[in-house]
Amino acid sequence: MDIGVVLQCTPPASRVVELARQAETHGFSHVWTFDSHLLWQEPYVIYSQILAATRKVMVGPMVTNPATRDWTVTASTFATLNDMFGNRTVCGIGRGDSAVRTLGGKPANLATLREAVDVIRELGNGRSARIGDTVVRFPWAGDSELEVWVAGYGPRALDLTGEVADGFILQLADPDITAWTIARVRAAAERAGRDPDAVKICVAAPAYVTDGSESGLAHAREQCRWFGGMVGNHVADIVARYGTGGDVPAALTAYIAGRQGYDYNEHGRAGSTHAEFVPDEIVDRFCLLGTPDDQLARLRELEKLGVDQFAVYLQHDAKTATLEAYGESVLPRLAHPVTATEEAR
């Protein structure tokens, strides 16, 4: 299993680049960032600096959207970075959240997302794409290679992912919900005549490594509670569309009953007031909290479900310490077969 990291483009950009450099040093495979140009700095400018400061990590947004960026410009940006630094980019994309809503807009519909995936991927791989009645192509991008991974939670978004995406991004680490979403994505891929196992699976969530004490765990929960609020903001849209029964498991929807709103000024921020409704049980399920042994146990569980990458959201007060703990105590052990001690645990 690959281990990636998800950063915010919070000023100064040099700090973002340095965290990315440290992540590669500690063995992380991917460096993702939020893409919300009003809340933080412009990610694509920063990607160029990250790629220049590193040798191997893949870089991309988690996630961009079809609404705030012209699809051809998005594809051109990836293809240009690939030409400059080798094929080291990946495009994570969804319907749109903070980048769109902070402008007073609404997320794109799934038909638009499907079309955007096709255009960005074709152009980003040096092929031609149709936009309306016009066929376009980058004549200089013949060597560019770009995968497009789709993020989503709802049944229709999961079906779309299986039908068209190179990868699936699930922004939470609950094993039961992970199993349900993977099964839905793979079933859709099979119906579409695709190899279900060819769709890469990425689970993304905060990870906070503790010393095993109750006080350490309590602090980690408070630092990561914001994530349950962010996920709940997405889940609220799903509940509005599908209700609390049917195809969507209660493990994903039940906890938002106490939700009262969302403040994008606190988006992705530890201590956000709109996440106070999120119970400890949800933080524990959605995030990876605890000792290196605890982290490894959850990662092994996700790996058995078919997860190809776990991406660590690094929005808390232990950024460098988390990178170091993973590099020293988690990644080396994850690379080796399960030990008898781990199996017994």
Side-chain angles (χ1 to χ4, degrees):
M1 178 192 287
D2 288 335
I3 302 294
V5 64
V6 187
L7 306 174
Q8 283 177 343
C9 295
T10 305
S14 58
R15 172 65 168 157
V16 182
V17 175
E18 175 58 19
L19 286 170
R21 189 197 65 78
Q22 291 180 32
E24 179 175 74
T25 299
H26 288 300
F28 287 71
S29 61
H30 290 66
V31 174
W32 305 87
T33 75
F34 286 62
D35 177 7
S36 194
H37 60 286
L38 288 182
L39 297 179
W40 305 290
Q41 292 184 328
E42 174 56 37
Y44 292 97
V45 177
I46 297 173
Y47 294 161
S48 186
Q49 294 297 305
I50 291 174
L51 289 164
T54 56
R55 297 180 298 111
K56 296 187 296 184
V57 290
M58 300 291 291
V59 174
M62 187 177 285
V63 292
T64 191
N65 69 86
T68 60
R69 298 186 183 275
D70 181 275
W71 310 341
T72 62
V73 175
T74 296
S76 180
T77 302
F78 284 117
T80 301
L81 291 171
N82 284 341
D83 183 62
M84 293 173 66
F85 300 104
N87 290 312
R88 293 173 54 199
T89 66
V90 57
C91 178
I93 192 169
R95 294 173 57 224
D97 182 37
S98 60
V100 179
R101 296 187 194 271
T102 52
L103 292 169
K106 295 181 180 180
N109 61 40
L110 291 176
T112 299
L113 177 60
R114 182 188 296 268
E115 187 178 358
V117 168
D118 181 67
V119 169
I120 293 169
R121 180 169 49 209
E122 294 307 293
L123 293 177
N125 283 280
R127 300 186 290 264
S128 61
R130 178 177 293 278
I131 302 174
D133 295 328
T134 304
V135 176
V136 296
R137 181 176 175 271
F138 302 142
W140 46 268
D143 294 329
S144 178
E145 297 176 6
L146 178 69
E147 291 188 347
V148 180
W149 297 15
V150 173
Y153 298 99
R156 292 177 57 215
L158 298 175
D159 291 346
L160 180 149
T161 302
E163 291 162 5
V164 304
D166 298 302
F168 164 52
I169 297 171
L170 174 64
Q171 291 161 310
L172 56 82
D174 175 83
D176 291 338
I177 298 173
T178 298
W180 171 72
T181 58
I182 291 175
R184 184 100 190 192
V185 167
R186 287 180 170 166
E190 189 167 14
R191 288 195 303 270
R194 307 178 69 201
D195 177 2
D197 294 329
V199 182
K200 297 175 183 176
I201 308 295
C202 174
V203 164
Y208 201 110
V209 181
T210 73
D211 59 5
S213 67
E214 284 300 318
S215 61
L217 180 59
H219 179 75
R221 283 174 176 148
E222 291 310 311
Q223 285 292 303
C224 297
R225 198 175 304 277
W226 67 267
F227 185 70
M230 186 188 82
V231 173
N233 195 45
H234 296 298
V235 171
D237 287 343
I238 296 172
V239 170
R241 176 178 291 272
Y242 297 100
T244 55
D247 289 340
V248 184
L252 178 60
T253 61
Y255 84 99
I256 71 164
R259 176 182 177 274
Q260 295 185 0
Y262 195 85
D263 182 358
Y264 279 99
N265 290 313
E266 297 183 338
H267 185 54
R269 182 185 301 174
S272 53
T273 57
H274 58 242
E276 292 175 350
F277 75 96
V278 179
D280 288 351
E281 180 252 343
I282 288 294
V283 183
D284 293 348
R285 279 174 40 206
F286 285 13
C287 305
L288 269 66
L289 310 178
T291 65
D293 285 347
D294 296 328
Q295 305 277 328
L296 189 64
R298 179 72 69 86
L299 291 171
R300 293 288 195 199
E301 190 173 3
L302 294 172
E303 191 174 39
K304 287 181 179 179
L305 294 174
V307 175
D308 300 294
Q309 179 187 157
F310 176 70
V312 177
Y313 272 100
L314 210 61
Q315 286 70 53
H316 50 55
D317 64 359
K319 296 178 178 63
T320 300
T322 300
L323 294 177
E324 291 177 350
Y326 261 69
E328 295 294 330
S329 303
V330 179
L331 270 71
R333 297 162 65 191
L334 187 63
H336 296 289
V338 179
T339 66
T341 301
E342 291 172 2
E343 192 68 44
R345 188 178 295 113

